[in-house]
Amino acid sequence: MINITKIEKTYPFLKTIANAAEQLQTEIYIVGGFVRDLLLEREKKEIDFLVIGDGISFAEKLSEKIGGEKISVFRNFGTAHFRYNYFDLEFVGARKESYDKSSRKPVVTNGTFKDDISRRDFTINTLALSLNKKNYGELIDTFGGLADLEQKLLRTPLHPEETFNDDPLRIMRAFRFAAQLNFNVSDEIKSAARAMAERLKIVSQERITDEFLKILASPKPSIGLKLLQETEVMKVIFPEFANLQGVDQRQDFHHKDVFFHTCKVVDNISPNTDNVWLRFAALVHDIAKPQTKRFVENVGWTFHGHEDLGARIMKGIFTRLKLPFHQLEYIRKLVRLHLRPIALAKEEVTDSAVRRFIVEAGEDLHDLITLCRADITSKNMEKVSEYLANYDRVMNRVLEVEEKDKLRAFQSPVRGEEIMQLCNLKPSKKVGEIKTAIENAILDGIIPNTYEDALSYLYKIKDK
Ligand code: ATP
Ligand code: MG
């Protein structure tokens, strides 16, 4: 439960805000994610306040009273926002929304506490913490959000078809919260999502993509990906990805289901990187397998060229999903090269093949290897360690070749000109010999690789 005295220790300014609200005679509650995450013991730097009355004018007065940083006002949304004590404080006046079937835009009017709480997306987001004198610190649970938190369950306060019809983005939000919090979604949410998936077409692509990337950024993205797939929402928002599911069987050959394989790869890579674009690369690395799938008699299934085709179709996907174009080249590179390291694991690979790989992968070489390691999804532990050892070998080869190349470019710290001066020599074979002697002394570890050591070594050998 909520212990307000304990909370005030971590957030002492809540009392300040409560006192100010009391003076301004305004009813105010903390709502939404902050209350939810408080109960889940998750850190949060944003706090949403629900003000009964005019949220903007309250925020303006409050900010002046307590000395908040520059206030931003969004009249269209009826919200105001300012920073205070390193927290983002967001204020909204209680509202009532009525939706007209003929238009997507709700009619928004001033509302009561109950009106406002009822138009929220999930019961776990309807919990409110009172900052008012009459019930200071009380947790107000209108829709059984607390029980749902305990059961780790997402439910909508109203019938989900109604909730989703009003704002179809809430379908995405349900699956996003499920992935972020490791929660289940109610069966009613699943069937409403399936029934209303097409409605997502009226939502802006930016909002959809934003939620999709939050799923990908969560600790176990497959939770959200599988919900999207199971409800066929994926078909609407990312058909190429939805298309990865399905296995063909012919003769004795079947191939791994690419959708479930990819889910595993994304889950595998997630503990190793917070870079959502590396996770995105994992998500799309096999995206062109369906188009390149061929059955070869007595050999089985092949997917020749899926890495090149995958890289080629990435631009279209970026355009449609409105992904940031400055990440396109990175994703294309990882998709295109994701099979290369395994080809380099063979014993007889030449230095120049390794060198070409180093140049092509460039600064993304480590990310590529991270992807390749995550791509191992065999259940056979022996195979897994064998494959991992292969990648270790490739990385050792990379280091070896890099080292050799560094040595090839290696030069004595004391240059020819200086040797000629100090030893009183004309340009001649001798100068080269002395220089090589210094270089060998360094390579053999006789002297350290510094100018001073090379110089004193030169004095020592110059008369020999
Ligand atoms: P997070 O900040 O981690 O994304 P949050 O729950 O704070 O989670 P916000 O998007 O900041 O989510 O929204 C704050 C609150 O506003 C939510 O908890 C929810 O009650 C409500 N809300 C936000 N978006 C919607 C929506 N599309 N439909 C209904 N209610 C919403
Ligand atoms: Mg929030």
Side-chain angles (χ1 to χ4, degrees):
M1 261 313 253
I2 294 264
N3 176 344
I4 191 75
T5 327
K6 201 168 139 202
I7 295 166
E8 279 173 357
K9 287 221 176 82
T10 326
Y11 311 97
F13 56 88
L14 292 183
K15 188 75 200 170
T16 317
I17 292 174
N19 289 340
E22 164 82 13
Q23 279 168 27
L24 294 167
Q25 300 190 345
T26 305
E27 202 178 324
I28 184 172
Y29 301 85
I30 305 180
V31 289
F34 184 80
V35 184
R36 178 194 71 222
D37 287 357
L38 204 60
L39 291 158
L40 293 172
E41 296 177 357
R42 297 171 89 226
E43 272 276 335
K44 204 160 171 72
K45 288 285 179 195
E46 290 158 51
I47 311 184
D48 297 296
F49 293 90
L50 176 63
V51 175
I52 312 304
D54 187 339
I56 294 177
S57 100
F58 173 78
E60 283 167 344
K61 287 182 204 145
L62 177 71
S63 165
E64 197 154 303
K65 229 175 162 55
I66 66 176
E69 287 169 42
K70 197 174 133 352
I71 185 165
S72 330
V73 171
F74 306 93
R75 297 234 171 248
N76 294 350
F77 298 99
T79 62
H81 163 275
F82 64 86
R83 281 180 67 78
Y84 186 66
N85 276 8
Y86 303 105
F87 280 82
D88 284 319
L89 309 185
E90 173 114 15
F91 297 83
V92 63
R95 56 180 121 173
K96 187 186 170 96
E97 285 174 6
S98 10
Y99 289 84
D100 188 347
K101 281 255 153 27
S102 59
S103 129
R104 277 201 283 124
K105 296 262 177 283
V107 182
V108 181
T109 50
N110 291 340
T112 62
F113 174 85
K114 180 82 190 280
D115 289 333
D116 192 285
I117 287 296
S118 316
R119 67 167 188 88
R120 291 182 179 261
D121 47 8
F122 305 107
T123 61
I124 61 166
N125 290 342
T126 62
L127 295 164
L129 182 65
S130 168
L131 293 185
N132 308 294
K133 197 160 191 188
K134 59 173 188 202
N135 55 354
Y136 183 70
E138 189 186 316
L139 183 71
I140 302 163
D141 182 6
T142 317
F143 292 101
L146 201 55
D148 290 339
L149 261 190
E150 269 153 22
Q151 288 184 49
K152 294 171 154 275
L153 181 64
L154 283 149
R155 277 193 315 124
T156 52
L158 311 176
H159 193 278
E161 300 232 352
E162 191 179 334
T163 299
F164 293 164
N165 193 45
D166 290 348
D167 178 4
L169 185 74
R170 293 168 184 164
I171 299 173
M172 297 292 300
R173 284 175 61 90
F175 301 157
R176 183 260 283 194
F177 283 122
Q180 280 181 332
L181 305 174
N182 192 9
F183 273 36
N184 290 310
V185 299
S186 71
D187 291 338
E188 291 79 13
I189 285 184
K190 282 190 207 169
S191 35
R194 177 187 290 271
M196 308 191 61
E198 290 284 332
R199 286 273 293 164
L200 273 164
K201 290 187 172 150
I202 68 165
V203 175
S204 80
Q205 187 60 51
E206 286 84 352
R207 291 178 79 206
I208 294 174
T209 295
D210 192 43
E211 294 295 334
F212 189 75
L213 292 178
K214 282 183 181 173
I215 290 176
L216 207 52
S218 64
K220 194 176 172 193
S222 67
I223 296 175
L225 298 174
K226 285 176 185 171
L227 285 166
L228 288 169
Q229 185 74 356
E230 179 190 341
T231 53
E232 302 193 358
V233 173
M234 193 73 90
K235 269 193 191 160
V236 177
I237 63 159
F238 198 166
E240 296 87 343
F241 191 69
N243 206 15
L244 297 183
Q245 191 170 1
V247 182
D248 281 334
Q249 171 98 35
R250 263 198 228 175
Q251 298 167 11
D252 275 339
F253 299 102
H254 68 87
H255 57 81
K256 271 197 280 191
D257 181 292
V258 184
F259 173 81
F260 289 106
H261 163 70
T262 302
C263 282
K264 252 198 199 153
V265 178
V266 175
D267 282 351
N268 280 351
I269 208 166
S270 293
N272 298 324
T273 181
D274 285 335
N275 174 1
V276 78
W277 300 108
L278 180 49
R279 293 180 180 202
F280 190 84
L283 187 81
V284 295
H285 76 285
D286 279 343
I287 197 83
K289 273 198 169 174
Q291 299 93 302
T292 53
K293 191 173 80 178
R294 299 273 177 282
F295 186 77
V296 182
E297 214 65 44
N298 301 322
V299 174
W301 294 97
T302 65
F303 304 90
H304 281 307
H306 75 274
E307 67 282 21
D308 286 322
L309 184 61
R312 279 207 301 280
I313 64 175
M314 226 18 82
K315 190 172 175 193
I317 289 175
F318 263 63
T319 308
R320 187 159 36 77
L321 297 185
K322 291 215 159 68
L323 293 167
F325 269 95
H326 64 271
Q327 298 291 353
L328 177 61
E329 269 320 303
Y330 171 79
I331 301 293
R332 287 167 54 129
K333 186 200 272 185
L334 293 184
V335 173
R336 188 165 42 81
L337 295 180
H338 81 268
L339 296 176
R340 189 74 72 80
I342 201 59
L344 293 177
K346 298 188 192 95
E347 302 286 353
E348 70 276 16
V349 166
T350 60
D351 280 5
S352 63
V354 175
R355 198 168 290 122
R356 211 171 309 130
F357 169 65
I358 294 173
V359 171
E360 270 189 76
E363 61 185 5
D364 302 314
L365 195 146
H366 281 272
D367 284 359
L368 180 63
I369 297 291
T370 305
L371 170 60
C372 291
R373 289 175 162 271
D375 200 6
I376 304 170
T377 59
S378 167
K379 285 202 186 74
N380 178 339
M381 288 322 280
E382 255 170 59
K383 272 196 180 161
V384 172
S385 24
E386 183 193 324
Y387 296 160
L388 286 173
N390 281 341
Y391 289 127
D392 288 341
R393 205 164 57 236
V394 173
M395 284 314 276
N396 284 338
R397 285 283 277 137
V398 164
L399 291 177
E400 228 175 74
V401 170
E402 277 178 339
E403 204 52 38
K404 269 192 210 166
D405 288 354
K406 252 189 241 151
L407 289 183
R408 192 166 304 121
F410 170 78
Q411 287 235 2
S412 159
V414 178
R415 312 302 290 269
E417 304 265 316
E418 233 175 331
I419 297 172
M420 287 192 284
Q421 251 178 25
L422 291 170
C423 305
N424 223 342
L425 287 170
K426 294 235 153 58
S428 60
K429 215 171 128 200
K430 195 107 213 135
V431 182
E433 278 170 18
I434 296 175
K435 206 169 140 202
T436 307
I438 297 173
E439 286 169 358
N440 283 338
I442 293 171
L443 292 177
D444 294 342
I446 297 169
I447 59 166
N449 184 10
T450 73
Y451 177 78
E452 285 74 26
D453 289 295
L455 195 63
S456 56
Y457 187 73
L458 170 63
Y459 280 120
K460 215 160 82 191
I461 61 165
K462 86 182 168 82
D463 298 323
K464 282 187 199 157

